[in-house]
Amino acid sequence: MLKVWIVGSEGQIGEAINEVLNPLEIEALNTDKNELDITETDEVLRFGEINRPDVIINCAALTDVELCEKEPEHAFRVNALGARNLSIVARKTGAKMVQLSTDDVFDGLGKKPYTEFDDTNPITVYGKSKLAGEKYVKEFTHKHFIIRSNWVYGTGNNFVNRVLASADEGQALSVAEDQYGSPTSARDLARIILYLIRTNEYGTYHATCMGVCSRYEFAKEVLRLSGKKEQLNPVPTPQSDLSSARPAYAVLDNFILRIIDVYDMPDWKESLAEFMKERMEG
Ligand SMILES: NC(=O)c1ccc[n+]([C@@H]2O[C@H](COP(=O)([O-])OP(=O)(O)OC[C@H]3O[C@@H](n4cnc5c(N)ncnc54)[C@H](OP(=O)(O)O)[C@@H]3O)[C@@H](O)[C@H]2O)c1
């Protein structure tokens, strides 16, 4: 049995990990903000030393990009110092550490997909604080997996659910046609995380579903799969209803996964279809 501490277990990725893990192989220790605030250094160390997990998966973060802009100290406390605290536990106990991260560590001004070897240059407070978290993880632990993803959807507040909620209200939607990314289901991300923690292939990974689209194309596919006929307008980001100014070109190349050649991420349209089918049935 592998003892895995899932930090931020009530967020969409934490929940997805719990949904896909095999309870016969993994004992999950779940905590979220109410049980254990990752910014409370001594409490985090105490919890880690008492429970001694084999793996720590840090899914906890301040992910509201606008809130991060308004409260940068809060953002750095959670996204940087929180990751540092968990890394200290990982180092002390010998646990493997998984740090979730984001395409926002890049400026999004590029024209081709970013590999793990491209230089970072975050422009948002969210991106800067997440990069600081990555640096702490690298500084304090050796046995780490830093996993960057983007446009993740699962349960809770995400782009897919916002598109569907607007459509349910019969609202016409204006969606950015100038932002590009790779929609990635939280479950697919959970599966690659659970695969990697069994290996010793440490380092930084880009892990998104395969294929690229604009926000507009993403919303169009969500509406098509849901059978809803609400009007959808392609617009530039400043006029869009559902997405704030983020790195415009948020496309990550899963370069390392490709060259180690052991794991293929699925196509974004297939994953979205699976998600929508389950959502409509359930
Ligand atoms: N969603 C995406 O598109 C995406 C893309 C790339 C990377 N990521 C990364 O993946 C990770 C998980 O994302 P997600 O979408 O699952 O986020 P999420 O749904 O916002 O979940 C984050 C969880 O962390 C909790 N949390 C916040 N502050 C905390 C604290 N001080 N101590 C303990 N827990 C705290 C949150 O609780 P409250 O809700 O109560 O605050 C929430 O349950 C993050 O590192 C994020 O940067 C996400």
Side-chain angles (χ1 to χ4, degrees), residues 12 20 32 47 160 190 199 219 227 259 261:
Q12 59 175 350
V20 302
D32 206 284
F47 184 94
V160 173
T199 73
I259 63 175
D261 196 21

Side-chain angles (χ1 to χ4, degrees), residues 38-39 41 44-45 58 77-90 97 99 132-133 136-137 139-141:
I38 58 167
T39 66
T41 309
V44 172
L45 295 192
N58 181 19
R77 217 175 290 126
V78 179
N79 294 344
L81 295 180
R84 178 203 63 179
N85 292 344
L86 294 165
S87 300
I88 296 171
V89 173
M97 171 85 191
Q99 171 70 9
Y136 272 132
V137 171
E139 184 181 336
F140 283 96
T141 70

Side-chain angles (χ1 to χ4, degrees), residues 62-66 68-69 79 100-109 114 119-132 134 147-152 179-181 206 208 215 244-252:
L62 195 67
T63 54
D64 181 331
V65 177
E66 275 80 33
C68 289
E69 292 299 322
N79 294 344
L100 268 299
S101 194
T102 167
D103 60 280
D104 290 58
V105 299
F106 297 109
D107 57 22
L109 301 175
Y114 293 97
D119 291 338
T120 51
N121 183 31
I123 51 175
T124 61
V125 170
Y126 172 64
K128 288 175 186 168
S129 63
K130 292 295 296 180
L131 182 60
E134 287 189 7
I147 302 181
R148 298 180 184 143
S149 193
N150 81 356
W151 291 14
V152 177
Q179 291 182 21
Y180 292 89
H206 290 177
T208 61
R215 282 272 184 203
S244 54
R246 295 284 292 276
Y249 191 78
V251 183
L252 299 177

Side-chain angles (χ1 to χ4, degrees), residues 162-181:
R162 288 198 294 276
V163 168
L164 292 170
S166 300
D168 282 344
E169 288 166 16
Q171 283 176 12
L173 276 176
S174 296
V175 182
E177 61 175 347
D178 53 1
Q179 291 182 21
Y180 292 89

Side-chain angles (χ1 to χ4, degrees), residues 197-209:
I197 60 173
R198 297 266 179 207
T199 73
N200 297 314
E201 304 270 1
Y202 302 115
T204 301
Y205 288 86
H206 290 177
T208 61
C209 281

